[in-house]
Amino acid sequence: MISQKNLELGTKSSVIREVFEYGLKRKAEIGEDKVFDYSLGNPNIPSPKKVNETLKKLIQESDPTELHGYSSGPGYVNVRKAVASYLNETYAVNESYSRIYMTCGAAASLTITLNALVCEGDEIIVLAPYFPEYKVFIEHTGAKVVEVMCDKETMQPDVAAICQAINEHTKGIILNSPNNPTGAVYSSMVLAELSSVLSEKELQYSHPIYVISDEPYRELVYESSVPYTAKIIKNTISCYSFSKSLSLPGERIGYICVCERCEDGDNIFSAICGAGRALGYVCAPVLFQKMIPEVLGATSSIDEYDKNRREIKRILDECGFKYIEPEGAFYIFIKSPTENARDFCEEAKNFELLLVRSDEFGCPGFVRIAYCVSNKMIKSSEEAWKKLAEKYRLTGERK
Ligand code: PLP
């Protein structure tokens, strides 16, 4: 007998992967340029030049055994110091390197943090729509997932609904802003409201309620700015990744910061070291750790994503599709013109448009598109979008 839970996880793929695999098959059948694959959040903009320059320099100039050797479990001290200084300079906070843990990207940051926090009987709140892996990560710790819907027009957190969902078992809440899948950026005002509700509830239940702030898109914002959650909500643990900001998703590098004002923060950091050890997530990839101090603050070209965002918005507007205004990350959440988003995705496939239905994001009735694709593909897909809109008799506005 083997673990049935893991067997099931390993055999059924996510809806995003399902659509992506279908796209690969379809491209082989009819040609790459005939399929408009909007399924995957895989950055298509190259990393900043500094990334490869630094890597080359490290490879050419370092002692090879030292270059590829183990670091300590939480990472190199100089790297953690550089991350803390960067956060302090950028967000005017006072983080300490002694509470920074280097990880293999956001997925590891989240799983380590959840494993460090969760005790038997705990509940973790997620805000729908949410990144589907949250459910996998939380359930694996034994905690119960409690879904709370965001405001369906703005996709900002519904603070009154969160307040209602909190009880004595609530250990934490995962926030993700800029958001996958909606592109919403949570406003300072909403975060401040949430902060006061959390403080009230902490008093009522006599224990902290931690905000696990999943921040892989922190720098990907277009016309606004992204409030730094830890500055507004005291019991925050930031889970960061360089996957998206530096277009390095395959290299697996990120960090956890147990923020300055986090209650019991030193013990939480020790529990994070323990969870990292138990999960085998020690000593994040060292070559990439060593690169980090040189590239902090650099990003792949956000202008390119913005160009895509404007292009796809224009097409959707002209076709008459309704969507949540995308302020950050590289996703647009489109309202399905029929009640069942699965049917809409199937219809879209007839025009070679590959969209992801929103059911697995905990919010039926929408589809997600990822616009981290080539601008050329977006332009070529315009006719397909128009034909899809005609099927639903949508009328748009020319701008
Ligand atoms: N969290 C969100 C919201 C994401 O969209 C992703 C990846 O797409 C992750 C976490 C995982 O990121 P990483 O590749 O850094 O593990």
Side-chain angles (χ1 to χ4, degrees):
M1 188 73 168
I2 55 170
S3 157
Q4 295 303 296
K5 195 172 78 178
N6 287 322
L7 177 63
E8 197 188 321
L9 274 178
T11 34
K12 88 176 182 219
S13 67
S14 77
V15 64
I16 303 171
R17 284 277 154 194
E18 219 176 82
V19 180
F20 176 69
E21 295 299 331
Y22 170 84
L24 291 180
K25 194 173 115 251
R26 198 67 189 130
K27 283 175 189 170
E29 283 164 5
I30 63 170
E32 284 269 335
D33 56 336
K34 308 247 173 0
V35 181
F36 312 116
D37 183 357
Y38 285 100
S39 65
L40 213 57
N42 202 9
N44 73 314
I45 312 287
S47 306
K49 279 205 178 81
K50 190 91 180 141
V51 164
N52 281 351
E53 282 168 10
T54 308
L55 291 172
K56 267 189 212 150
K57 193 158 179 268
L58 280 167
I59 289 169
Q60 281 162 358
E61 295 177 11
S62 311
D63 167 353
T65 44
E66 205 270 323
L67 181 66
H68 303 297
Y70 286 123
S71 70
S72 65
Y76 288 111
V77 166
N78 73 311
V79 176
R80 294 160 64 205
K81 281 187 171 165
V83 169
S85 302
Y86 169 76
L87 291 173
N88 295 341
E89 278 160 30
T90 311
Y91 301 110
V93 286
N94 194 18
E95 309 300 6
S96 162
Y97 85 92
S98 62
R99 301 219 311 221
I100 305 256
Y101 190 100
M102 301 306 295
T103 66
C104 300
S109 301
L110 290 164
T111 49
I112 293 171
T113 302
L114 287 164
N115 276 276
L117 291 178
V118 166
C119 305
E120 208 181 322
D122 281 350
E123 297 183 2
I124 301 285
I125 294 176
V126 295
L127 303 185
Y130 51 81
F131 179 54
E133 294 303 279
Y134 291 166
K135 247 185 145 159
V136 178
F137 299 160
I138 295 168
E139 281 170 356
H140 199 74
T141 67
K144 180 176 162 198
V145 179
V146 176
E147 292 183 17
V148 177
M149 189 59 218
C150 283
D151 177 295
K152 269 204 168 170
E153 291 309 310
T154 60
M155 292 297 177
Q156 292 286 316
D158 180 341
V159 178
I162 296 171
C163 183
Q164 286 223 313
I166 296 174
N167 61 44
E168 75 260 39
H169 302 295
T170 308
K171 177 55 68 67
I173 169 167
I174 302 185
L175 298 188
N176 168 225
S177 172
N179 186 267
N180 174 9
T182 66
V185 173
Y186 297 166
S187 72
S188 302
M189 201 179 78
V190 168
L191 291 176
E193 280 170 23
L194 179 59
S195 171
S196 55
V197 161
L198 291 175
S199 299
E200 255 171 52
K201 291 288 174 184
E202 286 172 339
L203 267 182
Q204 184 180 346
Y205 295 119
S206 310
H207 64 76
I209 299 170
Y210 294 103
V211 164
I212 301 155
S213 185
D214 180 23
E215 304 177 350
Y217 303 98
R218 195 161 66 202
E219 295 83 6
L220 300 188
V221 65
Y222 305 102
E223 280 148 41
S224 51
S225 59
V226 181
Y228 186 56
T229 308
K231 187 117 179 143
I232 304 174
I233 303 179
K234 70 175 164 44
N235 286 322
T236 295
I237 302 169
S238 294
C239 291
Y240 185 79
S241 165
F242 295 93
S243 293
K244 315 287 176 170
S245 58
L246 294 179
S247 301
L248 289 174
E251 305 300 354
R252 317 307 299 138
I253 188 79
Y255 59 84
I256 302 165
C257 175
V258 180
C259 300
E260 177 201 354
R261 295 187 299 145
C262 206
E263 191 174 327
D264 211 17
D266 288 339
N267 278 335
I268 291 178
F269 186 77
S270 297
I272 280 172
C273 295
R277 183 177 161 200
L279 294 166
Y281 272 144
V282 288
C283 174
V286 292
L287 180 59
F288 285 85
Q289 278 196 56
K290 287 178 180 176
M291 174 201 73
I292 292 303
E294 302 302 318
V295 301
L296 283 162
T299 59
S300 301
S301 171
I302 293 168
D303 291 348
E304 293 292 311
Y305 290 133
D306 195 23
K307 202 165 122 195
N308 286 358
R309 184 182 70 115
R310 288 168 194 276
E311 189 79 47
I312 188 74
K313 262 166 54 98
R314 177 191 62 75
I315 295 173
L316 296 175
D317 288 339
E318 288 187 12
C319 290
F321 288 105
K322 300 276 175 268
Y323 54 84
I324 305 301
E325 190 58 42
E327 299 174 87
F330 36 53
Y331 305 101
I332 301 189
F333 212 48
I334 305 172
K335 288 188 183 162
S336 169
T338 59
E339 208 177 310
N340 190 336
R342 180 190 285 266
D343 294 344
F344 178 49
C345 289
E346 286 305 309
E347 188 63 59
K349 270 187 189 169
N350 293 330
F351 304 101
E352 311 302 343
L353 280 170
L354 307 188
L355 322 175
V356 177
R357 64 178 183 273
S358 61
D359 306 53
E360 270 190 28
F361 298 98
C363 175
F366 290 79
V367 296
R368 184 195 82 170
I369 61 170
Y371 58 83
C372 45
V373 294
S374 74
N375 195 259
K376 186 164 163 242
M377 188 197 98
I378 297 178
K379 285 200 167 90
S380 323
S381 69
E382 183 162 354
E383 272 314 297
W385 284 106
K386 282 188 178 150
K387 286 183 188 149
L388 183 61
E390 273 166 28
K391 273 269 164 190
Y392 293 98
R393 299 181 206 287
L394 301 179
T395 44
E397 46 187 89
R398 283 215 165 264
K399 287 190 175 162

